[in-house]
Amino acid sequence: MRLHRLDITAFGPFGGSQSVDFDELSAAGLFLLHGPTGAGKTSVLDAVCYALYGSVPGARQSGQGTALRSDHAAPGTRTSVTLELTVAGRRLEITRQPPWERKKKRGTGTTLDKAQTWLRAHDAGTWKDLSRSHQEIGEEITQLLGMSREQFCQVVLLPQGDFARFLRADAEARGRLLGRLFDTHRFAEVEKRLAERRRATEAEVRDGDAELLADAHRMQQAADGAMELPELTPGDPGLAEAVLTAAAVARSTAREQLTVARCRLAAAESAQEAAGRALDDVREVARLQRRFADARERARLLEERDDAHRADRQRMERGRKAEAVAPALELREAADAEHRAAVAAEARARAALPEGFAGAGPAGLAAAARRTTEEFGGLESARRAERRLADVRAERAGLDRQERADEDVLHDAETWLAGWEPARAGLQERIDAAQEAASRAEQLAVRREPVQQRLGAARKRDQLAGDTEAAQRQALASGERALQARTHWLDLKEQRLNGIAAELATGLADGEPCAVCGATEHPAPARKVAGHVDREAEERALAASRRAEEAHADDERRLNLVRQALAAAAAEAGDTPTGRLVDEAEELERQYARARREASGLHAAREELRRAEQEHERRTTARREAELRAASRQARREALDRERTTLEGELAQARGSSGSVAARAAELENRAARLTEAAEAARHAEDTAQRLKDADARLADAAFRAGFDTPQAAAAALLDAATHRELQRRLDARQAEEAAVRAVLAAADTAAAAQRPAADLAPAEQAAAAAGRRV
């Protein structure tokens, strides 16, 4: 595997985007990542592991990806890692983005974007997308590298701190560490598992031999002493072969005995089969006798129900004949219903007619309707005149309204135009004053920014002065703590060196050489005394001392940064007190706000002057147009008055006694409609009466041809659907019952004739046969 390029965005300590070109770094063969604690050396390796496997080594892989995001990243920047590498002869590019909780684009709150992964391959000069699935990409990388994430972290990326512990450890500790790094415990587990399997197999063999011997003893008991067992115990060699040999001898003896038993069983089964056939014959005769008795009883019951059956057949036959009369009956009922409806409609139509038309026939009613329609058509010109008169009156009233409106317009225009010149002068003065205030505000705005900058620098200067004192106190305190921690570590180291003999003596054992002198006898080994310091205590003190020194270095760097910022702020603010700068800024702000307020009315004053000029133009135009309309309105009013007088005379003659032409037209239209409806109703009643008479004649003829004396008799013989289905069901059931009885009696006759002559039958059987023939 060879790494080419790594791009990191908002990952670990890197708030922005960083790029590492491994090709350039490894041009000389080797390269070194170095820097102070917290600079991000481990994060670069974590980014490589995260790009390959989607997680980082150690405890940093917990969570949903939020632990990987940099605390210094901008809110809108998403965490991303892109690694370009060559593995197994293929150049690939892997991009991973962990889950990201960002602000919603709309509304408040946050939303969680899912993790994203891309895998691309470089082929023929272009990049091609391979997959976007987390699972597929993980399986592909694991297969290409040949290592899981845990194996990669153990073999390629040695976890931070394990290498130093490896160098300082003894042989036994190194063996344990190497076993943990390279996962050698699995070989010990395999050896342990094989030993367990050997012991389990031995136990299974002994258990199998015991079960085999138990089965052999049961076989010996079943063989009644014909089987001899070997004198062996479970687990002895050759036990299974000896038992199988004895079982083979017993099996041959048992097979001979089985052959004799099978011969005896065959003879017994033949005798049982003959007895079964005799029993089946007897049972068949008994079944036929019971069936014959049942058939005789059913024949008797059928003979008793002959009268009801004949009645049903006769009723069904009359119903079939009456079906031929059913269409004529339906036609007559429909004609009768139509005639009754026509007579009722005629009565209602005649009730709505005037008294003079009560006894008129259809022809007279139709003639009266035509005359009324002709009179209604003659009122069309009068209706047009009436509509024109309404239009004339409406136009005359509109002229009066226009005259009053024009008078109001003239009065308003004269009143408004009288005060135009003073109002115009006042608006122009407001515009001039606002323009002067705008110029003054622009001059003050140029002075505001420098004053605000000096004021901000002065406030920052005062704040940084306090921060500098706090940083100095903290640096002094952390320096004292670092000195104390180093002194404590040196003290513990000195104590440990003094008691190193006791620590070495803990590993001595009789017969084993001493690591210092090589002797195998240890008559007086050193013992640990109270307050003994071991190696772990010294290492803890050393780690605490280093942490204290790092904290002191951080405090010193923080103090230098605060001092630099204080110097920059003092250079910008000068020696002027902050209070004086605040007073100058407030006075300048008050003058600027007052000028802005005065200048803010410039646009409004200009708009008001523009609207006033437009209103002046509109008022002048309205006054001129009103004067022109008043001159032309007088001639139109005189012409409308003459036309109204003429139309009123014509309408008085056309209305007659009605209130209006429309009322007279509605009266004539209503009378014509009632006369037409009555004439149609009378004509329809005569037609329905003739159709009813024809239907009566056809019904009487159909009933006579069907064999009925009267149509009423034919109607009474008709069967509804339910009655027809019930009669048909009973007839079909009777026919099926008769067929079944005839079949049973015929079978009984055939069986009796085959066994003995008919003359030898018992009297009861002869009577039953005769009854069956009658059925």
Side-chain angles (χ1 to χ4, degrees), residues 321-343:
K321 292 180 180 180
E323 288 177 359
V325 189
L329 282 171
E330 294 176 358
L331 182 61
R332 198 272 173 190
E333 291 176 359
D336 183 52
E338 185 180 7
H339 178 63
R340 286 196 298 271
V343 171

Side-chain angles (χ1 to χ4, degrees), residues 286-318:
R287 186 186 65 80
L288 292 176
Q289 289 176 352
R290 289 194 300 271
R291 187 178 178 190
F292 182 72
D294 293 341
R296 286 191 300 174
E297 180 63 22
R298 291 163 64 185
R300 185 184 63 77
L301 294 176
L302 289 174
E303 196 171 343
E304 290 177 357
R305 294 197 296 268
D306 280 345
D307 295 339
H309 178 61
R310 282 193 296 273
D312 289 343
R313 292 182 63 182
Q314 291 175 0
R315 187 176 179 187
M316 180 65 77
E317 185 64 26
R318 286 180 60 82

